[in-house]
């Protein structure tokens, strides 16, 4: 697909623009219908019974994975990159957190609880959370294998050269990578893993990116460097 530059962009009459917009609308509607179908297929995936008893450190003390549902049947976990020896959370994950920080109350009213989980100790999570002004629930998995089992954390001295991430083997040069996992708890209290997504699979969960995709410059990210090199903590932009 040829990329249209801003300096030589085609300029047309209102009527010509309207015709072009209607043609694109047809494509957008096709995409929306396909996305609905894909979402249905996602919900129809088979589930896996979670048999391991994960215990997390939270603001109210120790909590199991089942406790995190808080009386609801569905749980969304954002795997926030924050290794135990880091002093700050990942800037890119912080970008995502800025986008999901305020939605918890809305999810609650659709039988969903959302939390973030990281390997850093709870004290570091709480300190960084206060600095960033966030209100979502954030728990530490520093004393369990949760992050490793869901393939978002990686041992420093791994025996294999290539590790599992985003449903494939690849060379990993960082202790943490991002992702989202979903769980369901039935009336008998059994917990099931229903879905996980990683890498660009979580792009759709970033509202700011969806808005940037609407504007003429798009995300305006260089293809020659780490695409999110521009991202800063929201309190660290120059202005």
């Amino acid at each position: 697909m040829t990329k249209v530059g801003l300096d030589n962009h085609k300029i047309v009459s209102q009527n010509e623009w309207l015709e072009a917009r209607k043609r694109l609308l047809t494509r957008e509607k096709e995409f929306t219908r396909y996305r609905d179908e894909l979402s249905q297929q996602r919900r129809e995936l088979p589930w896996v019974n979670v048999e391991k008893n994960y215990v997390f450190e939270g603001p109210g003390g120790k909590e199991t994975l089942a406790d995190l549902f808080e009386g609801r049947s569905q749980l969304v976990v954002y795997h926030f990159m924050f290794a135990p020896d880091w002093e700050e959370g990942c800037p890119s994950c912080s970008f995502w957190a800025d986008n999901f920080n305020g939605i918890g109350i809305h999810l609650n009213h659709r039988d969903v609880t959302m939390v973030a989980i990281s390997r850093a100790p709870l004290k570091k999570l709480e300190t960084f959370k206060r600095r960033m002004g966030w209100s979502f629930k954030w728990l530490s998995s520093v004393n369990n294998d949760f992050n490793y089992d869901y393939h978002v954390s990686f041992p420093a001295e791994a025996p294999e050269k290539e590790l599992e991430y985003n449903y494939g083997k690849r060379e990993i040069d960082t202790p943490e990578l991002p992702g989202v996992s979903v769980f369901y708890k039935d009336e008998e209290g059994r917990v099931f893993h229903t879905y996980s997504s990683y890498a660009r699979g979580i792009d759709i969960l970033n509202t700011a990116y969806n808005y940037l995709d609407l504007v003429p410059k798009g995300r305006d990210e260089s293809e020659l460097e780490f695409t999110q090199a521009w991202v800063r903590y929201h309190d660290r932009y120059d202005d």
Side-chain angles (χ1 to χ4, degrees):
M1 183 176 179
T2 304
K3 187 174 181 180
V4 178
L6 296 177
D7 294 335
N8 60 349
H9 207 91
K10 186 177 181 180
I11 308 298
V12 298
S13 68
Q14 175 66 20
N15 287 338
E16 288 177 286
W17 179 88
L18 189 58
E19 288 303 312
R21 179 64 188 93
K22 287 180 177 179
R23 289 194 297 272
L24 180 61
L25 179 61
T26 299
R27 297 285 309 277
E28 288 177 334
K29 288 183 176 181
E30 291 173 355
F31 173 73
T32 297
R33 287 190 290 270
Y34 180 71
R35 186 175 61 187
D36 289 343
E37 292 175 11
L38 194 61
S39 295
Q40 181 62 34
Q41 292 172 15
R42 182 184 299 119
R43 291 189 289 270
E44 292 172 354
L45 279 171
W47 299 347
V48 177
N49 187 22
V50 180
E51 298 179 346
K52 189 175 287 190
N53 184 35
Y54 299 106
V55 179
F56 304 93
E57 296 288 339
K62 295 184 183 299
E63 296 187 69
T64 66
L65 183 62
D67 292 332
L68 302 187
F69 287 79
E70 298 182 343
R72 302 179 185 91
S73 70
Q74 301 167 107
L75 174 70
V76 175
V77 173
Y78 182 84
H79 300 289
F80 198 119
M81 296 168 62
F82 199 153
D85 58 343
W86 295 0
E87 295 305 316
E88 299 176 310
C90 164
S92 294
C93 284
S94 299
F95 183 26
W96 260 253
D98 285 339
N99 283 268
F100 67 67
N101 181 60
I103 68 173
I105 185 66
H106 302 289
L107 298 181
N108 292 167
H109 284 79
R110 300 310 298 163
D111 194 29
V112 178
T113 299
M114 183 174 181
V115 301
I117 293 178
S118 303
R119 284 197 307 125
L122 182 64
K123 184 177 180 181
K124 285 188 175 182
L125 302 183
E126 291 288 295
T127 299
F128 189 59
K129 179 179 172 181
R130 283 193 299 272
R131 170 188 149 190
M132 303 305 285
W134 292 328
S135 59
F136 59 84
K137 189 172 183 177
W138 201 352
L139 303 106
S140 171
S141 61
V142 67
N143 293 318
N144 67 45
D145 295 328
F146 183 78
N147 280 45
Y148 295 106
D149 291 346
Y150 289 93
H151 307 292
V152 290
S153 293
F154 311 94
E157 301 297 331
E160 303 98 350
K161 185 175 182 181
E162 294 188 334
L163 301 172
E164 179 79 22
Y165 181 68
N166 199 22
Y167 307 102
K169 293 284 188 178
R170 62 199 66 219
E171 291 190 20
I172 304 293
D173 60 359
T174 176
E176 306 287 328
L177 284 171
V180 169
S181 292
V182 181
F183 302 88
Y184 178 79
K185 186 167 71 170
D186 67 13
E187 293 182 356
E188 297 178 8
R190 295 177 300 180
V191 176
F192 303 92
H193 175 222
T194 70
Y195 181 75
S196 285
S197 186
Y198 308 94
R200 292 223 40 202
I202 65 172
D203 265 18
I204 195 171
L205 304 177
N206 189 311
T207 309
Y209 264 158
N210 282 277
Y211 276 101
L212 288 174
D213 287 341
L214 301 179
V215 301
K217 287 187 177 181
R219 301 185 186 188
D220 201 21
E221 295 176 332
S222 172
E223 297 177 358
L224 303 177
E225 61 178 351
F226 171 55
T227 55
Q228 292 170 9
W230 65 275
V231 174
R232 303 288 184 271
Y233 301 112
H234 61 234
D235 62 349
R236 294 283 174 83
Y237 285 103
D238 292 339
D239 53 357

